[in-house]
Amino acid sequence: MSEEEKKPPVRPKPAAKKPEPKPLPPSPKQPVMDALATTLKEKFGESAVMEGYINQPNDHLCTLIISRENWLPVLQFLRDEHSTPFDYLQNASAIDYETHLEVVFHLHSLEKKEMIAVKVRLDHENAELPSSTALFPAANWNEREMFDLMGITFTGHPDLKRILLPDDWVGHPLRKDYVAFDKEV
Amino acid sequence: MDTLLLYLGPVILLLIVLGFVTYAILAERKVIGWIQGRIGPNQVGPWGLLQTVADILKLLIKEDTIPKNADRTLFKLSPILAFVPSFAVLAVMPFSAQIQFANIGVGLLYYMAVSSITTIGILVGGWASNNKYALLGGMRSAAQMISYEIPLVLSVVGVVLTVGSLNLNEIVAAQQKTWFIFPQIIGFIVFIIASVSELNRTPFDLPEAESELVAGYHVEYSGFRFAFFMLAEYVYIFAMSSLTTVLFLGGWNAPFGWTFLPGILWFIIKFSLVVFFLYWVRATMPRIRVDQLMQFAWKVLLPVALANIVLTALLKEVPFLAHYY
Amino acid sequence: MIRTEEMLLNVGPQHPSTHGVLRLLVKVDGERIVEAEPVIGYLHRGTEKLAEDLSYTQIIPYTDRMDYLSAMTNNYAIVHATEKLMGLEIPERAEFLRVIVMELNRVASHLVWMGTYLLDIGAMSPFLYAFRDREQILDLFNELCGARLTYNYMRVGGVKWDAPAGWIKKVEQFTTYMQKQIKEYHDLVTGNEIFIGRTKGIGSYDQQTAIRYALSGANLRVTGLNWDLRKDAPYSIYERFAFEVPVGEDGDLYQKYLCRMKEIDESLKIVAQAVGEFPSEGKIMGKVPRVLRVPEGEVYVGIESPRGELGCHIVSKGKDKPWRLKFRRPSFYNLQILPILLKDENLSNLVAILGGIDIVLGEVDG
């Protein structure tokens, strides 16, 4: 007990914050990233790629933030036409950043053993995204899960209904503004 | 005295059969337990001897439930329909030269005919339960029983041809020198496969198929009605093993002229071997699929059984082989 | 007039072969399946939501309960993702212990699969044989971390418990024993005509479909694709060990069975090597602050669990609790293909195909 009480005032935690302001060494993946961003911009216009950066701690993962209008075309392009075909939907997840919602697809190329993260940002009120089930059948249940837990509506989804929670559930639990029905829990 | 025996005999047989069923279930659990590296029941009574007694007691004192939407009359009738024939077939079974209840000329035919009534009981039970799994189980059962009855009957035609009689006593008497398992080996194999299927046991336990149909036709039955289905099943094991012994293993005849044991004991020994074989198969085999089951009956067993009949008839005419046939 | 009618059969959530509380709405025409729709969520406990209010160490026991047949790999997924985001160094001894327990857990998990699969197909004995051998692994784990199923063994930066004296020796003995046992299973099951008849050519799909449905693990490899994250995106110290990745050809159930049996073999090889090179001493915990504050950022890592790619996606805002935690649960992905596989199949094949996917409902429902 006493030990724990001593702890808070000490809080020697700058270690975690220090490396952030420090500029990271350039990533070996930077050329790949730039090429990808350029290709996408050429193909779908400047506004298609809102941001592109490299997630260094995660094995230099190329991360692209796509505009909502270009979400499906970009996925289609990455799957079928890109020189490194990202044909394997490794993970699909949605995050509530309070300011906005974000949908992340981690795509993998089984052939070239490359991985990228493709993101799209959505508003809380108007959380709608075209469904990519036709491109990736694997996205079917993932989109239902995101709809169920995060309240993102996927237009054009063949069977958009709650998947994990009961059909009569109110609210979307993974949103940060979700109020639990029972406060005790 | 004779009249007394006439009425008392079946009661005694019923008690023996019930005793057999009680301990056959225990034996099955023990044997399969050993095969699977387990101990089997050992808590109720010494060496688990009272396990089945306790199980039956539990079934008998259980609440009698009938599903709300079931056809009540048929639901109640079905276990009786399933059980009665299983016991009735025992009437013609010659357990030894002396012990037999009805020595009728067409004993074998009687067995086959009466035993198929049970199918109706099972189908009725599956239908009356108003349960989809039960219906599927009942349908499977009907299809399976009908398909396998044909090779079963045809496989014993070889024996009948050889003996020239359908009387079970005469069939046993004809095996004094050679058991029919040797000259009729093809018929025996077809018979044993078809009989396992008739008994609804692994690998042909599709009507019950626990992992597919939960429990099949008796899924809605509980208490003593369920006990009746179980009873019918095990009485059929008794009957079928007896029939196998009578038809192919020489009945009460002693092998190699070892007549120091009475005939009834030889019968029991052979009979037990057949029962053990059934347990052994159950512990080893996976379950066959429905379409494979049907194909196997019609495309494999039936032609083989037919070929066996022709072969038997031909060999009967071969001079130095004829005395085997 | 005779007419046929389609029947809606409700398989589960309480059914012997749905391996938990999976519910299937099956439309049958006699015994032929016209349409099948899986209904899931009966075991949803909201792990991802709960994790948002838990510190990183507190999340670990929750992961035990996702894929409860392979809790070690689940532990590793969360721990590994956290370590990656924090950039931690793991002591060698801890890495060895992790690899040993993960591979043993894979063997245990595949044994359960093999046993229950044969039970689905109607053979009872292999189930008990498999559980007898799995029991030894559970005993080893029990000795190591005091739990048989929900281990809560790994920690960010290492493992919680060091191997007790003589434990490594026991693992070695078990490995030799198990390698012998595999032959027994092959004798009993692999050549059985009925088993082959039930599985060969059933429930097969091609590689393209498997990739589109993002299948992973043996479900993907059985189509002939050599894809194993231990080889293709190496984590921990898997690069040091020699092992093969068994692949199939046409994706049928028999090949899946063979694949998983070979995976047991390969896992045992890894364990044998790891035991041989096990460092005689060393720390089991790296330098980790008492309160874990993961730097702001995002990380996704996938590891090869017995069921496929188990991914962990962490979004951190620099607090001691994750902002968002998402698990890529392989069973959830693998189960999606079921309606396609079941179409026009026989009702008996339903259990065979469902069993072949190897799902754990705790994982499907999160």
Side-chain angles (χ1 to χ4, degrees), chain B residues 87-147:
Chain B
F87 188 60
V89 295
L90 294 177
V92 291
M93 203 56 68
F95 298 107
S96 81
Q98 291 82 37
I99 308 172
Q100 189 188 19
F101 291 91
N103 187 5
I104 57 175
V106 288
L108 185 56
L109 196 63
Y110 167 84
Y111 182 101
M112 299 294 175
V114 172
S115 73
S116 56
I117 296 175
T118 297
T119 318
I120 302 174
I122 288 175
L123 190 60
V124 164
W127 171 258
S129 302
N130 200 2
N131 178 304
K132 289 165 184 172
Y133 288 113
L135 182 61
L136 283 170
M139 269 165 27
R140 279 185 178 188
S141 178
Q144 177 176 342
M145 298 278 209
I146 290 165
S147 305

Side-chain angles (χ1 to χ4, degrees), chain A residues 17-25:
Chain A
K17 274 177 188 157
K18 232 176 209 166
E20 271 190 271
K22 192 171 77 182
L24 291 156

